[in-house]
C-alpha cells in the first residue's frame, strides 16, 4: 500500500488544519488504498534545542511582532535565508533520515516553508526518486522560503503566489495554481442558513455575525465582541453573534460569564467549521489564510481586525483589493461596519458575498490530492 507522509509544524493552527484537511480528503477519495501519516518533524524528530523552535513562534508573534516581522523580511533575502536553512538541514539530517527510514514514504507532501528545505535535503539523500510535493498554505503574502526549485511540484493558492514562485526560479511546469487545502466538507453543498442555524440552536431568522481569531483565538476578541453586541443592539438590528474562541480557553470562560444585550453563542474549538460559517452572514476575523479561504467559499464578507506582520499583510491587501472585505483595527470601527452591513448597507454586503463566493475554491483540497495521487501512479482510484 502506498504511503504518503504529510510534513507540517505547529506554528499557528493553519498548517495542522491544512495537513488534516489533506488527510481527510485522501481518506474520502482513496479510502484504505493509501496510508497517510501526518508528522511534525521539527517537534518530534529533531534534536534539542531545535525541537523547541516551533514553540517560540506563538509568543514571538504575540509579544514581539516587530521581531517576527524583521525575521520575515530577512527570510525574503535568499542570501540570508538559504545558508540558515542549509545549516538547519545539516543539523536535522540524521533525525530526518531516521524518520524516512521508519516511514518508508512513497510520496512526501510538505505544508510548511521552514520544514521544506531540511526535509527535501534529507529526502534526496534517503531516496532521490521519492516525489516531494509542496502545498503552499499562505494566501497572498507568500514568503520566499516557500519556494525551492528542487521540489517535484509546488501547488499554490493565488496568482500572486504563482508569480512569486516563477520569479524565484521554479519552472512553469513545476507550479500549479489550485487553492488552499480546507476541510473536505467545504466542497459539499450545505443546507440553507435557516436550517443550519436551527440545527445549532441559533435563531433561524436573525442575521448572524461570526467572530473568530484563528485556531488559537488570538486578537482583541473580547473588546470586539463587546463593541459589536452594544452597537448592534443600539442600532436595533435583528442579529445574533457566534464567537469561536478556538483553543483560547481563558477567552471562552470570560465571554461565557458575560451578560449580552443580544443572543451570543460562545464556543471553544469547533471541528465543524463549514456548518458554522455557512450559517453566518458576515465574518469578523484576523487575516489568517485558512479562515479567509473558508470564508470565501461560504460567501462571507470579511471584516479583518488584525494580521500577523509580514506573513498575513498581503492577505489584507488581497481581501480589500478583491472587494470581499475591509480592514478595520478598532473594535468601534468593526462594530459600525457590521451594523451598516446588517442595516442600510445590506445590498453592499450581498454584492461582497457574491464576489467572495466567486473567488472561493471549494474543490481545491480534492484537486490537490488528485495531483498528489498522479505522482503515485500505482494507486488504484476508487470510483
Ligand atoms: N479553526 C477550527 N476550529 C476553531 C478555530 C479555527 O477548525 O475553533 C480552523 C479554521 O477553520 C482554519 C484554521 O483553524 O482552518 C486557522 O487557520 P488560519 O490560517 O486562519 O489562522 P492560524 O490559526 O493559522 O493563525
Amino acid at each position: 500500500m502506498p504511503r504518503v507522509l504529510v510534513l507540517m509544524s505547529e506554528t499557528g493552527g493553519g498548517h495542522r488544519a491544512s495537513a488534516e484537511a489533506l488527510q481527510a480528503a485522501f481518506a474520502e477519495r482513496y479510502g484504505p488504498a493509501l496510508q497517510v501519516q501526518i508528522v511534525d518533524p521539527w517537534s518530534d524528530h529533531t534534536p534539542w534545542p531545535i525541537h523547541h523552535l516551533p514553540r517560540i513562534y506563538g509568543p514571538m508573534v504575540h509579544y514581539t511582532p516587530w521581531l517576527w516581522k524583521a525575521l520575515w523580511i530577512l527570510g525574503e533575502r535568499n542570501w540570508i535565508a538559504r545558508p540558515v536553512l542549509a545549516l538547519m538541514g545539516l543539523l536535522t539530517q540524521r533525525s530526518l533520515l531516521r524518520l524516512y527510514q521508519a516511514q518508508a514514504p512513497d510520496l512526501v507532501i510538505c505544508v510548511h516553508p521552514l520544514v521544506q528545505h531540511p526535509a527535501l535535503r534529507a529526502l534526496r539523500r534517503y531516496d532521490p526518486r521519492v516525489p516531494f510535493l509542496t502545498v503552499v498554505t499562505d494566501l497572498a503574502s507568500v514568503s520566499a522560503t516557500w519556494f525551492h526549485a528542487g521540489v517535484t511540484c509546488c501547488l499554490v493558492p493565488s496568482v500572486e503566489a504563482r508569480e512569486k514562485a516563477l520569479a524565484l526560479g521554479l519552472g512553469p511546469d513545476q507550479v500549479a495554481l489550485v487553492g488552499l487545502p480546507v476541510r473536505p466538507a467545504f466542497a459539499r453543498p450545505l443546507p440553507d442558513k435557516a436550517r443550519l442555524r436551527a440545527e445549532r440552536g441559533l435563531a433561524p431568522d436573525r442575521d448572524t455575525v461570526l467572530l473568530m481569531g484563528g485556531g488559537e483565538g488570538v486578537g482583541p476578541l473580547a473588546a470586539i465582541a463587546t463593541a459589536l453586541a452594544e452597537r448592534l443592539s443600539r442600532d436595533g438590528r435583528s442579529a445574533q453573534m457566534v464567537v469561536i474562541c478556538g483553543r483560547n480557553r481563558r477567552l471562552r470562560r470570560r465571554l461565557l460569564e458575560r451578560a449580552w444585550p443580544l443572543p451570543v453563542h460562545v464556543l471553544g474549538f469547533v471541528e465543524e467549521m463549514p456548518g458554522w460559517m455557512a450559517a453566518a452572514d458576515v465574518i469578523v476575523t484576523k487575516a489568517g489564510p485558512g479562515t479567509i479561504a473558508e470564508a470565501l467559499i461560504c460567501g462571507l464578507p470579511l471584516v479583518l481586525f488584525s494580521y500577523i506582520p509580514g506573513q498575513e499583510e498581503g492577505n489584507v491587501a488581497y481581501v480589500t483589493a478583491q472587494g470581499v472585505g475591509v480592514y478595520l483595527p478598532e473594535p468601534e470601527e468593526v462594530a459600525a461596519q457590521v451594523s451598516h452591513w446588517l442595516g442600510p448597507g445590506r445590498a453592499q454586503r450581498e454584492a461582497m458575498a457574491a464576489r467572495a463566493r466567486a473567488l472561493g475554491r471549494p474543490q481545491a483540497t480534492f484537486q490537490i490530492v488528485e495531483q498528489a495521487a498522479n505522482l503515485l501512479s500505482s494507486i488504484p482510484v476508487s470510483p
Side-chain angles (χ1 to χ4, degrees), residues 12-14 17 183 212 214-215 244 246 268-270 273 286 288-291 294 312:
R183 286 183 176 88
M212 60 183 283
I244 297 182
F269 191 89
V270 303
M273 191 57 85
K286 82 172 180 81
T291 306
E294 293 162 357
E312 289 180 353

Side-chain angles (χ1 to χ4, degrees), residues 11-15 17-18 57 137-138 180-183 186 212-218 244-247 267-274 277 285-292 294 308 311-312:
T11 51
H15 300 289
S18 299
Y57 171 83
T137 61
D138 280 319
L180 272 181
V182 293
R183 286 183 176 88
F186 279 103
M212 60 183 283
E216 308 303 316
V218 296
I244 297 182
C245 304
R247 297 186 189 88
L267 305 168
F269 191 89
V270 303
E271 288 297 337
E272 216 270 293
M273 191 57 85
M277 280 204 185
T285 174
K286 82 172 180 81
T291 306
I292 293 174
E294 293 162 357
I308 296 176
Q311 92 198 48
E312 289 180 353

Side-chain angles (χ1 to χ4, degrees), residues 18-360:
S18 299
E20 287 177 352
L22 290 176
Q23 189 178 42
F26 272 119
E28 256 185 49
R29 182 80 18 127
Y30 302 111
L34 198 60
Q35 190 183 326
V36 182
Q37 176 99 19
I38 297 175
V39 173
D40 177 349
W42 273 149
S43 302
D44 300 337
H45 296 275
T46 52
W48 183 92
I50 300 170
H51 72 274
H52 283 309
L53 284 180
R55 285 191 222 162
I56 298 171
Y57 171 83
M60 192 195 300
V61 165
H62 187 69
Y63 296 110
T64 53
W66 53 271
L67 178 58
W68 174 251
K69 168 115 188 196
L71 290 177
W72 200 87
I73 290 170
L74 290 179
E76 288 300 281
R77 312 229 173 339
N78 260 344
W79 59 274
I80 298 179
R82 289 295 158 129
V84 173
L85 289 167
L87 177 66
M88 298 303 270
L90 268 178
L91 294 173
T92 55
Q93 182 167 303
R94 209 166 336 141
S95 2
L96 290 172
L97 275 174
R98 271 202 300 272
L99 169 67
Y100 291 141
Q101 277 149 8
Q103 296 283 340
D106 299 290
L107 167 68
V108 175
I109 301 180
C110 185
V111 296
H112 196 285
L114 302 183
V115 171
Q116 175 188 236
H117 292 241
L120 180 60
R121 180 193 159 92
L123 187 68
R124 291 295 168 250
R125 274 158 187 74
Y126 165 71
D127 183 345
R129 292 166 306 171
V130 177
F132 190 101
L133 173 66
T134 296
V135 178
V136 174
T137 61
D138 280 319
L139 191 58
S141 359
V142 177
S143 159
T145 53
W146 271 110
F147 302 113
H148 193 303
V151 299
T152 314
C153 186
C154 177
L155 302 181
V156 296
S158 62
V159 176
E160 290 81 350
R162 184 178 152 79
E163 280 167 4
K164 189 158 182 178
L166 298 178
L168 287 170
L170 277 78
D173 297 342
Q174 231 175 341
V175 188
L177 172 51
V178 182
L180 272 181
V182 293
R183 286 183 176 88
F186 279 103
R188 286 190 281 274
L190 285 164
D192 62 53
K193 283 191 198 299
R195 199 170 129 202
L196 285 168
R197 288 173 189 162
E199 284 169 3
R200 282 160 184 77
L202 302 170
D205 49 351
R206 278 181 183 257
D207 285 333
T208 305
V209 183
L210 178 60
L211 172 57
M212 60 183 283
E216 308 303 316
V218 296
L221 291 179
I224 295 174
T226 305
L228 202 47
E230 276 167 11
R231 180 69 189 244
L232 294 176
S233 142
R234 197 166 69 233
D235 291 350
R237 306 283 181 247
S238 167
Q240 59 196 337
M241 289 163 44
V242 176
V243 188
I244 297 182
C245 304
R247 297 186 189 88
N248 190 339
R249 291 207 198 120
R250 209 164 131 237
L251 172 71
R252 180 163 180 250
R253 270 199 309 275
R254 261 175 81 192
L255 296 185
L256 280 171
E257 279 162 10
R258 286 213 191 145
W260 300 93
L262 49 74
V264 176
H265 294 250
V266 179
L267 305 168
F269 191 89
V270 303
E271 288 297 337
E272 216 270 293
M273 191 57 85
W276 286 104
M277 280 204 185
D281 296 293
V282 170
I283 186 167
V284 178
T285 174
K286 82 172 180 81
T291 306
I292 293 174
E294 293 162 357
L296 293 179
I297 292 170
C298 295
L300 291 180
L302 296 120
V303 181
L304 304 176
F305 59 77
S306 75
Y307 55 84
I308 296 176
Q311 92 198 48
E312 289 180 353
E313 274 174 51
N315 299 345
V316 174
Y318 178 80
V319 162
T320 50
Q322 297 288 342
V324 293
V326 293
Y327 169 65
L328 297 166
E330 294 301 325
E332 295 301 334
E333 294 174 311
V334 171
Q337 179 66 63
V338 173
S339 181
H340 177 68
W341 278 348
L342 302 192
R346 187 170 285 266
Q348 186 193 3
R349 182 190 101 204
E350 281 164 5
M352 277 194 164
R355 282 197 292 272
R357 213 166 277 118
L359 210 57

